[in-house]
Amino acid sequence: RLRESYSDMTIAKGVTFGTSEADLLAAFGTPEDTYENTENGYKAYTWRSDFSEYLYINVYADGGVSSFKLQQY
Protein backbone atom coordinates (compact mmCIF):
# COMPACT_ATOMS: atom_id res chain seq x y z
CA ARG A 1 0.00 0.00 0.00
CA LEU A 2 1.24 3.47 -0.86
CA ARG A 3 0.22 4.98 2.49
CA GLU A 4 2.49 2.49 4.27
CA SER A 5 5.36 3.49 1.98
CA TYR A 6 4.90 7.18 2.77
CA SER A 7 3.59 6.96 6.33
CA ASP A 8 6.52 9.00 7.65
CA MET A 9 5.87 11.99 5.33
CA THR A 10 5.60 15.21 7.31
CA ILE A 11 4.64 18.65 6.06
CA ALA A 12 5.18 22.01 7.74
CA LYS A 13 4.55 22.35 11.46
CA GLY A 14 4.86 18.60 12.05
CA VAL A 15 1.59 17.61 10.38
CA THR A 16 1.56 14.05 9.06
CA PHE A 17 -0.91 11.27 8.26
CA GLY A 18 -3.06 10.65 11.32
CA THR A 19 -2.56 14.10 12.89
CA SER A 20 -5.74 14.96 14.79
CA GLU A 21 -8.08 17.73 13.69
CA ALA A 22 -7.33 19.70 16.87
CA ASP A 23 -3.55 19.46 16.32
CA LEU A 24 -3.95 20.38 12.65
CA LEU A 25 -5.92 23.53 13.46
CA ALA A 26 -3.52 24.45 16.27
CA ALA A 27 -0.63 24.20 13.79
CA PHE A 28 -2.15 26.07 10.84
CA GLY A 29 -4.84 28.21 12.42
CA THR A 30 -8.26 28.95 11.00
CA PRO A 31 -8.62 27.85 7.38
CA GLU A 32 -10.06 30.10 4.68
CA ASP A 33 -12.49 27.40 3.58
CA THR A 34 -14.01 24.34 5.24
CA TYR A 35 -16.13 21.65 3.62
CA GLU A 36 -17.75 19.08 5.90
CA ASN A 37 -18.96 15.73 4.58
CA THR A 38 -20.96 14.30 7.48
CA GLU A 39 -22.03 11.23 5.49
CA ASN A 40 -18.43 10.08 5.10
CA GLY A 41 -17.13 11.64 8.33
CA TYR A 42 -14.46 14.01 7.08
CA LYS A 43 -13.66 17.69 6.67
CA ALA A 44 -11.69 19.29 3.86
CA TYR A 45 -9.75 22.41 4.84
CA THR A 46 -8.15 25.01 2.56
CA TRP A 47 -5.56 27.64 3.42
CA ARG A 48 -4.49 30.29 0.89
CA SER A 49 -1.48 32.54 0.58
CA ASP A 50 -1.84 35.58 -1.67
CA PHE A 51 -4.16 33.60 -3.97
CA SER A 52 -1.09 31.94 -5.52
CA GLU A 53 -0.55 29.07 -3.06
CA TYR A 54 -3.20 26.70 -1.74
CA LEU A 55 -2.87 24.04 0.94
CA TYR A 56 -5.62 21.41 0.99
CA ILE A 57 -5.90 18.96 3.89
CA ASN A 58 -8.57 16.29 4.49
CA VAL A 59 -9.11 15.01 8.02
CA TYR A 60 -11.32 12.25 9.39
CA ALA A 61 -12.70 12.51 12.92
CA ASP A 62 -11.75 8.90 13.65
CA GLY A 63 -8.44 8.75 11.77
CA GLY A 64 -6.94 12.22 11.54
CA VAL A 65 -5.26 13.69 8.46
CA SER A 66 -5.74 11.45 5.44
CA SER A 67 -4.38 13.63 2.61
CA PHE A 68 -2.67 16.90 1.88
CA LYS A 69 -1.86 18.82 -1.28
CA LEU A 70 0.10 22.03 -1.88
CA GLN A 71 -0.75 23.80 -5.13
CA GLN A 72 1.03 26.84 -6.58
CA TYR A 73 -0.07 29.03 -9.47
Side-chain angles (χ1 to χ4, degrees), residues 12-29:
K13 303 180 182 185
V15 171
T16 190
F17 294 115
T19 296
S20 71
E21 181 179 14
D23 288 345
L24 170 67
L25 296 175
F28 284 100

Side-chain angles (χ1 to χ4, degrees), residues 13-56:
K13 303 180 182 185
V15 171
T16 190
F17 294 115
T19 296
S20 71
E21 181 179 14
D23 288 345
L24 170 67
L25 296 175
F28 284 100
T30 304
E32 279 74 21
D33 295 307
T34 301
Y35 167 78
E36 184 171 5
N37 184 315
T38 54
E39 183 177 329
N40 293 310
Y42 76 91
K43 292 180 184 174
Y45 293 110
T46 304
W47 289 267
R48 286 191 293 272
S49 173
D50 300 327
F51 296 100
S52 63
E53 295 178 332
Y54 291 80
L55 175 61
Y56 304 96

